[in-house]
Amino acid sequence: MILAGDVGGTKTALALFEVRRRALAVVREGVLPSQGFAALADAIRQFLSDGPPVAIDAACIGVAGPVIDGRCTATNLPWVVDETSLAECVSTRRVKLVNDLEATGHGVLGLPPSAFAPLQAGEPRKATMALIAAGTGLGEVLLVWDGRRYHVVSSEGGHTDFAARTDREVELFRFLRREFGRVSYERVVSGPGLYNIYRFLLTTDGAPEAEWVRSRMETSDPSAVVAEAALDTRDPRAVQALDMFVSIYGAEAGNLALKALAVGGIFVGGGIAPKIRPKLEDGTFITAFRDKGRLGAMTASIPVRRVLEPRAALLGAAAVARSLLSGAVPKARGAQATP
């Protein structure tokens, strides 16, 4: 029996998998509100107590934050997680703590081609790829090709310095710098980031805020309200905010492709992508992705695909946990993973 987890700033997804004839089968899964628990161990105990007693043979949890020496201080949660406490919680020494995007990377590498939707066809190559995912935060991970198989290499690329490309983005940078001091890409390309862009536009364009928008934001997630208003074209400011968001998202995806030389492909994951699918597909994202000056022809040749499988991180964590049973490295089915 394997316990897999995907811990984010908003929710914690947990699942039990059983190895059946060399395949992993879901036994039970659940989603808990991350902010409702003082520690990850409390969430795991709650999940396990909701079903029949089980003996855990191996566990892997993906956590949003840098994992160093088996320990992580979560980026968007007041949690400190380590493999020692995790082992005590699940009563097995076969445990692994990884970055949540690292888990997603393992999951993506095991998905069939039907689990992706193309944003840019590009030229299929057996080469290094990368994954970018905006949600509560912004995650980035490398899928490095060594000539035989892929290796998942975690990063904290979402926390690199935000680079403005236009005069309006320079103004956005100055607005955010006054508030946060340092401005990372996560301050812009994330759920809170979309609302940050909206707030910036609210203070600079001079037009009054729509009363219905203000009212909705009092009872709902402000970023979700902005996205919905933009997709429905009900509020011009929201439309402009989402346009800036997707353009900057595409630009940073292109930056990631350049830094990793990820000519094998870029995957776009995370919880925001499916919610703004029409905007991601209207060309704004890919235009910014390709806009790399002398290397524009190269980025135009890179396959870009949206990840359709919402449980990619859970599946990846389960694959890592399964490898602990035999001491093997999770197999990356490169033929299926190549966009």
PDB file of all heavy atoms in Angstrom, residues 45-74:
ATOM      1  N   ARG A  45      -3.300  12.131   9.151  1.00  0.00           N
ATOM      2  CA  ARG A  45      -4.041  11.336  10.141  1.00  0.00           C
ATOM      3  C   ARG A  45      -5.539  11.441   9.907  1.00  0.00           C
ATOM      4  O   ARG A  45      -6.274  10.448  10.030  1.00  0.00           O
ATOM      5  CB  ARG A  45      -3.683  11.793  11.557  1.00  0.00           C
ATOM      6  CG  ARG A  45      -2.250  11.481  11.965  1.00  0.00           C
ATOM      7  CD  ARG A  45      -2.031  11.735  13.451  1.00  0.00           C
ATOM      8  NE  ARG A  45      -0.623  11.605  13.804  1.00  0.00           N
ATOM      9  CZ  ARG A  45       0.216  12.612  13.930  1.00  0.00           C
ATOM     10  NH1 ARG A  45      -0.228  13.866  13.738  1.00  0.00           N
ATOM     11  NH2 ARG A  45       1.475  12.420  14.242  1.00  0.00           N
ATOM     12  N   GLN A  46      -6.019  12.636   9.563  1.00  0.00           N
ATOM     13  CA  GLN A  46      -7.435  12.817   9.277  1.00  0.00           C
ATOM     14  C   GLN A  46      -7.849  11.978   8.077  1.00  0.00           C
ATOM     15  O   GLN A  46      -8.874  11.287   8.098  1.00  0.00           O
ATOM     16  CB  GLN A  46      -7.726  14.290   9.009  1.00  0.00           C
ATOM     17  CG  GLN A  46      -9.176  14.601   8.635  1.00  0.00           C
ATOM     18  CD  GLN A  46     -10.140  14.333   9.765  1.00  0.00           C
ATOM     19  OE1 GLN A  46      -9.983  14.877  10.853  1.00  0.00           O
ATOM     20  NE2 GLN A  46     -11.136  13.489   9.533  1.00  0.00           N
ATOM     21  N   PHE A  47      -7.049  12.018   7.023  1.00  0.00           N
ATOM     22  CA  PHE A  47      -7.357  11.250   5.815  1.00  0.00           C
ATOM     23  C   PHE A  47      -7.379   9.756   6.100  1.00  0.00           C
ATOM     24  O   PHE A  47      -8.310   9.041   5.686  1.00  0.00           O
ATOM     25  CB  PHE A  47      -6.321  11.563   4.736  1.00  0.00           C
ATOM     26  CG  PHE A  47      -6.394  10.672   3.535  1.00  0.00           C
ATOM     27  CD1 PHE A  47      -7.431  10.790   2.618  1.00  0.00           C
ATOM     28  CD2 PHE A  47      -5.422   9.694   3.332  1.00  0.00           C
ATOM     29  CE1 PHE A  47      -7.502   9.950   1.510  1.00  0.00           C
ATOM     30  CE2 PHE A  47      -5.486   8.849   2.227  1.00  0.00           C
ATOM     31  CZ  PHE A  47      -6.527   8.980   1.314  1.00  0.00           C
ATOM     32  N   LEU A  48      -6.377   9.264   6.813  1.00  0.00           N
ATOM     33  CA  LEU A  48      -6.314   7.832   7.095  1.00  0.00           C
ATOM     34  C   LEU A  48      -7.439   7.380   8.011  1.00  0.00           C
ATOM     35  O   LEU A  48      -7.958   6.264   7.877  1.00  0.00           O
ATOM     36  CB  LEU A  48      -4.953   7.476   7.711  1.00  0.00           C
ATOM     37  CG  LEU A  48      -3.735   7.655   6.792  1.00  0.00           C
ATOM     38  CD1 LEU A  48      -2.443   7.347   7.549  1.00  0.00           C
ATOM     39  CD2 LEU A  48      -3.851   6.771   5.551  1.00  0.00           C
ATOM     40  N   SER A  49      -7.849   8.233   8.926  1.00  0.00           N
ATOM     41  CA  SER A  49      -8.919   7.862   9.860  1.00  0.00           C
ATOM     42  C   SER A  49     -10.288   7.836   9.198  1.00  0.00           C
ATOM     43  O   SER A  49     -11.237   7.259   9.747  1.00  0.00           O
ATOM     44  CB  SER A  49      -8.940   8.838  11.044  1.00  0.00           C
ATOM     45  OG  SER A  49      -9.352  10.137  10.631  1.00  0.00           O
ATOM     46  N   ASP A  50     -10.402   8.439   8.032  1.00  0.00           N
ATOM     47  CA  ASP A  50     -11.688   8.465   7.329  1.00  0.00           C
ATOM     48  C   ASP A  50     -12.002   7.160   6.598  1.00  0.00           C
ATOM     49  O   ASP A  50     -13.073   7.018   5.998  1.00  0.00           O
ATOM     50  CB  ASP A  50     -11.715   9.617   6.306  1.00  0.00           C
ATOM     51  CG  ASP A  50     -11.820  10.978   6.975  1.00  0.00           C
ATOM     52  OD1 ASP A  50     -12.242  11.024   8.145  1.00  0.00           O
ATOM     53  OD2 ASP A  50     -11.479  11.987   6.327  1.00  0.00           O
ATOM     54  N   GLY A  51     -11.070   6.218   6.598  1.00  0.00           N
ATOM     55  CA  GLY A  51     -11.293   4.943   5.914  1.00  0.00           C
ATOM     56  C   GLY A  51     -10.859   3.781   6.769  1.00  0.00           C
ATOM     57  O   GLY A  51     -10.420   3.951   7.919  1.00  0.00           O
ATOM     58  N   PRO A  52     -10.938   2.569   6.222  1.00  0.00           N
ATOM     59  CA  PRO A  52     -10.506   1.376   6.955  1.00  0.00           C
ATOM     60  C   PRO A  52      -9.025   1.450   7.289  1.00  0.00           C
ATOM     61  O   PRO A  52      -8.247   2.048   6.538  1.00  0.00           O
ATOM     62  CB  PRO A  52     -10.793   0.232   5.969  1.00  0.00           C
ATOM     63  CG  PRO A  52     -11.775   0.789   4.997  1.00  0.00           C
ATOM     64  CD  PRO A  52     -11.470   2.246   4.891  1.00  0.00           C
ATOM     65  N   PRO A  53      -8.604   0.856   8.389  1.00  0.00           N
ATOM     66  CA  PRO A  53      -7.182   0.863   8.760  1.00  0.00           C
ATOM     67  C   PRO A  53      -6.325   0.200   7.678  1.00  0.00           C
ATOM     68  O   PRO A  53      -6.713  -0.819   7.105  1.00  0.00           O
ATOM     69  CB  PRO A  53      -7.146   0.061  10.059  1.00  0.00           C
ATOM     70  CG  PRO A  53      -8.537   0.148  10.602  1.00  0.00           C
ATOM     71  CD  PRO A  53      -9.437   0.186   9.405  1.00  0.00           C
ATOM     72  N   VAL A  54      -5.172   0.801   7.395  1.00  0.00           N
ATOM     73  CA  VAL A  54      -4.257   0.246   6.400  1.00  0.00           C
ATOM     74  C   VAL A  54      -2.836   0.345   6.924  1.00  0.00           C
ATOM     75  O   VAL A  54      -2.523   1.193   7.764  1.00  0.00           O
ATOM     76  CB  VAL A  54      -4.356   0.990   5.042  1.00  0.00           C
ATOM     77  CG1 VAL A  54      -5.714   0.784   4.400  1.00  0.00           C
ATOM     78  CG2 VAL A  54      -4.058   2.477   5.220  1.00  0.00           C
ATOM     79  N   ALA A  55      -1.983  -0.530   6.416  1.00  0.00           N
ATOM     80  CA  ALA A  55      -0.557  -0.471   6.722  1.00  0.00           C
ATOM     81  C   ALA A  55       0.153   0.131   5.517  1.00  0.00           C
ATOM     82  O   ALA A  55       0.047  -0.392   4.404  1.00  0.00           O
ATOM     83  CB  ALA A  55      -0.020  -1.864   7.013  1.00  0.00           C
ATOM     84  N   ILE A  56       0.833   1.234   5.730  1.00  0.00           N
ATOM     85  CA  ILE A  56       1.512   1.935   4.644  1.00  0.00           C
ATOM     86  C   ILE A  56       2.906   1.343   4.457  1.00  0.00           C
ATOM     87  O   ILE A  56       3.695   1.275   5.405  1.00  0.00           O
ATOM     88  CB  ILE A  56       1.631   3.447   4.945  1.00  0.00           C
ATOM     89  CG1 ILE A  56       0.254   4.057   5.251  1.00  0.00           C
ATOM     90  CG2 ILE A  56       2.304   4.161   3.783  1.00  0.00           C
ATOM     91  CD1 ILE A  56      -0.720   3.967   4.121  1.00  0.00           C
ATOM     92  N   ASP A  57       3.219   0.902   3.237  1.00  0.00           N
ATOM     93  CA  ASP A  57       4.526   0.331   2.942  1.00  0.00           C
ATOM     94  C   ASP A  57       5.519   1.389   2.449  1.00  0.00           C
ATOM     95  O   ASP A  57       6.730   1.231   2.628  1.00  0.00           O
ATOM     96  CB  ASP A  57       4.393  -0.764   1.888  1.00  0.00           C
ATOM     97  CG  ASP A  57       3.524  -1.918   2.382  1.00  0.00           C
ATOM     98  OD1 ASP A  57       3.926  -2.566   3.366  1.00  0.00           O
ATOM     99  OD2 ASP A  57       2.447  -2.155   1.816  1.00  0.00           O
ATOM    100  N   ALA A  58       5.013   2.427   1.791  1.00  0.00           N
ATOM    101  CA  ALA A  58       5.874   3.500   1.291  1.00  0.00           C
ATOM    102  C   ALA A  58       5.033   4.744   1.088  1.00  0.00           C
ATOM    103  O   ALA A  58       3.826   4.660   0.833  1.00  0.00           O
ATOM    104  CB  ALA A  58       6.561   3.103  -0.018  1.00  0.00           C
ATOM    105  N   ALA A  59       5.669   5.901   1.189  1.00  0.00           N
ATOM    106  CA  ALA A  59       4.936   7.164   1.042  1.00  0.00           C
ATOM    107  C   ALA A  59       5.809   8.211   0.378  1.00  0.00           C
ATOM    108  O   ALA A  59       7.025   8.258   0.591  1.00  0.00           O
ATOM    109  CB  ALA A  59       4.456   7.675   2.400  1.00  0.00           C
ATOM    110  N   CYS A  60       5.188   9.023  -0.442  1.00  0.00           N
ATOM    111  CA  CYS A  60       5.863  10.180  -1.034  1.00  0.00           C
ATOM    112  C   CYS A  60       4.887  11.341  -1.039  1.00  0.00           C
ATOM    113  O   CYS A  60       3.739  11.193  -1.476  1.00  0.00           O
ATOM    114  CB  CYS A  60       6.336   9.884  -2.455  1.00  0.00           C
ATOM    115  SG  CYS A  60       7.092  11.321  -3.277  1.00  0.00           S
ATOM    116  N   ILE A  61       5.342  12.476  -0.558  1.00  0.00           N
ATOM    117  CA  ILE A  61       4.518  13.681  -0.511  1.00  0.00           C
ATOM    118  C   ILE A  61       5.222  14.793  -1.279  1.00  0.00           C
ATOM    119  O   ILE A  61       6.405  15.067  -1.058  1.00  0.00           O
ATOM    120  CB  ILE A  61       4.278  14.148   0.942  1.00  0.00           C
ATOM    121  CG1 ILE A  61       3.683  13.017   1.789  1.00  0.00           C
ATOM    122  CG2 ILE A  61       3.371  15.370   0.955  1.00  0.00           C
ATOM    123  CD1 ILE A  61       2.294  12.582   1.392  1.00  0.00           C
ATOM    124  N   GLY A  62       4.498  15.421  -2.193  1.00  0.00           N
ATOM    125  CA  GLY A  62       5.001  16.590  -2.893  1.00  0.00           C
ATOM    126  C   GLY A  62       4.525  17.841  -2.172  1.00  0.00           C
ATOM    127  O   GLY A  62       3.331  17.986  -1.913  1.00  0.00           O
ATOM    128  N   VAL A  63       5.441  18.724  -1.836  1.00  0.00           N
ATOM    129  CA  VAL A  63       5.117  19.930  -1.063  1.00  0.00           C
ATOM    130  C   VAL A  63       5.553  21.169  -1.844  1.00  0.00           C
ATOM    131  O   VAL A  63       6.637  21.191  -2.444  1.00  0.00           O
ATOM    132  CB  VAL A  63       5.825  19.924   0.304  1.00  0.00           C
ATOM    133  CG1 VAL A  63       5.419  21.145   1.132  1.00  0.00           C
ATOM    134  CG2 VAL A  63       5.504  18.658   1.071  1.00  0.00           C
ATOM    135  N   ALA A  64       4.717  22.194  -1.825  1.00  0.00           N
ATOM    136  CA  ALA A  64       5.044  23.443  -2.506  1.00  0.00           C
ATOM    137  C   ALA A  64       6.083  24.204  -1.695  1.00  0.00           C
ATOM    138  O   ALA A  64       5.762  24.908  -0.735  1.00  0.00           O
ATOM    139  CB  ALA A  64       3.782  24.291  -2.688  1.00  0.00           C
ATOM    140  N   GLY A  65       7.336  24.038  -2.085  1.00  0.00           N
ATOM    141  CA  GLY A  65       8.433  24.696  -1.394  1.00  0.00           C
ATOM    142  C   GLY A  65       9.722  23.945  -1.665  1.00  0.00           C
ATOM    143  O   GLY A  65       9.704  22.810  -2.151  1.00  0.00           O
ATOM    144  N   PRO A  66      10.865  24.555  -1.371  1.00  0.00           N
ATOM    145  CA  PRO A  66      12.144  23.888  -1.608  1.00  0.00           C
ATOM    146  C   PRO A  66      12.377  22.762  -0.604  1.00  0.00           C
ATOM    147  O   PRO A  66      12.228  22.957   0.603  1.00  0.00           O
ATOM    148  CB  PRO A  66      13.165  25.014  -1.415  1.00  0.00           C
ATOM    149  CG  PRO A  66      12.480  25.995  -0.518  1.00  0.00           C
ATOM    150  CD  PRO A  66      11.024  25.923  -0.848  1.00  0.00           C
ATOM    151  N   VAL A  67      12.718  21.586  -1.103  1.00  0.00           N
ATOM    152  CA  VAL A  67      13.021  20.437  -0.249  1.00  0.00           C
ATOM    153  C   VAL A  67      14.537  20.253  -0.238  1.00  0.00           C
ATOM    154  O   VAL A  67      15.147  19.959  -1.262  1.00  0.00           O
ATOM    155  CB  VAL A  67      12.331  19.160  -0.758  1.00  0.00           C
ATOM    156  CG1 VAL A  67      12.701  17.971   0.128  1.00  0.00           C
ATOM    157  CG2 VAL A  67      10.811  19.352  -0.787  1.00  0.00           C
ATOM    158  N   ILE A  68      15.122  20.428   0.926  1.00  0.00           N
ATOM    159  CA  ILE A  68      16.575  20.316   1.082  1.00  0.00           C
ATOM    160  C   ILE A  68      16.872  19.365   2.223  1.00  0.00           C
ATOM    161  O   ILE A  68      16.392  19.561   3.343  1.00  0.00           O
ATOM    162  CB  ILE A  68      17.211  21.700   1.360  1.00  0.00           C
ATOM    163  CG1 ILE A  68      16.877  22.684   0.218  1.00  0.00           C
ATOM    164  CG2 ILE A  68      18.721  21.578   1.529  1.00  0.00           C
ATOM    165  CD1 ILE A  68      17.327  24.106   0.487  1.00  0.00           C
ATOM    166  N   ASP A  69      17.628  18.318   1.928  1.00  0.00           N
ATOM    167  CA  ASP A  69      17.983  17.306   2.927  1.00  0.00           C
ATOM    168  C   ASP A  69      16.747  16.728   3.605  1.00  0.00           C
ATOM    169  O   ASP A  69      16.708  16.530   4.830  1.00  0.00           O
ATOM    170  CB  ASP A  69      18.929  17.893   3.984  1.00  0.00           C
ATOM    171  CG  ASP A  69      20.267  18.319   3.394  1.00  0.00           C
ATOM    172  OD1 ASP A  69      20.702  17.684   2.408  1.00  0.00           O
ATOM    173  OD2 ASP A  69      20.860  19.290   3.893  1.00  0.00           O
ATOM    174  N   GLY A  70      15.703  16.473   2.799  1.00  0.00           N
ATOM    175  CA  GLY A  70      14.508  15.837   3.332  1.00  0.00           C
ATOM    176  C   GLY A  70      13.649  16.719   4.207  1.00  0.00           C
ATOM    177  O   GLY A  70      12.801  16.220   4.965  1.00  0.00           O
ATOM    178  N   ARG A  71      13.813  18.028   4.084  1.00  0.00           N
ATOM    179  CA  ARG A  71      13.056  18.963   4.921  1.00  0.00           C
ATOM    180  C   ARG A  71      12.581  20.131   4.093  1.00  0.00           C
ATOM    181  O   ARG A  71      13.271  20.595   3.187  1.00  0.00           O
ATOM    182  CB  ARG A  71      13.932  19.469   6.070  1.00  0.00           C
ATOM    183  CG  ARG A  71      13.217  20.275   7.146  1.00  0.00           C
ATOM    184  CD  ARG A  71      14.199  20.565   8.291  1.00  0.00           C
ATOM    185  NE  ARG A  71      13.555  21.183   9.426  1.00  0.00           N
ATOM    186  CZ  ARG A  71      13.394  22.509   9.569  1.00  0.00           C
ATOM    187  NH1 ARG A  71      13.854  23.332   8.629  1.00  0.00           N
ATOM    188  NH2 ARG A  71      12.801  23.003  10.638  1.00  0.00           N
ATOM    189  N   CYS A  72      11.369  20.613   4.375  1.00  0.00           N
ATOM    190  CA  CYS A  72      10.795  21.715   3.602  1.00  0.00           C
ATOM    191  C   CYS A  72      10.015  22.662   4.503  1.00  0.00           C
ATOM    192  O   CYS A  72       9.193  22.234   5.325  1.00  0.00           O
ATOM    193  CB  CYS A  72       9.858  21.158   2.516  1.00  0.00           C
ATOM    194  SG  CYS A  72       8.971  22.428   1.585  1.00  0.00           S
ATOM    195  N   THR A  73      10.296  23.943   4.350  1.00  0.00           N
ATOM    196  CA  THR A  73       9.448  24.981   4.934  1.00  0.00           C
ATOM    197  C   THR A  73       8.524  25.438   3.815  1.00  0.00           C
ATOM    198  O   THR A  73       8.976  26.061   2.850  1.00  0.00           O
ATOM    199  CB  THR A  73      10.284  26.161   5.463  1.00  0.00           C
ATOM    200  OG1 THR A  73      11.169  25.692   6.480  1.00  0.00           O
ATOM    201  CG2 THR A  73       9.377  27.244   6.041  1.00  0.00           C
ATOM    202  N   ALA A  74       7.247  25.083   3.923  1.00  0.00           N
ATOM    203  CA  ALA A  74       6.301  25.351   2.848  1.00  0.00           C
ATOM    204  C   ALA A  74       6.255  26.841   2.533  1.00  0.00           C
ATOM    205  O   ALA A  74       6.282  27.687   3.431  1.00  0.00           O
ATOM    206  CB  ALA A  74       4.917  24.838   3.216  1.00  0.00           C
TER     207      ALA A  74
END
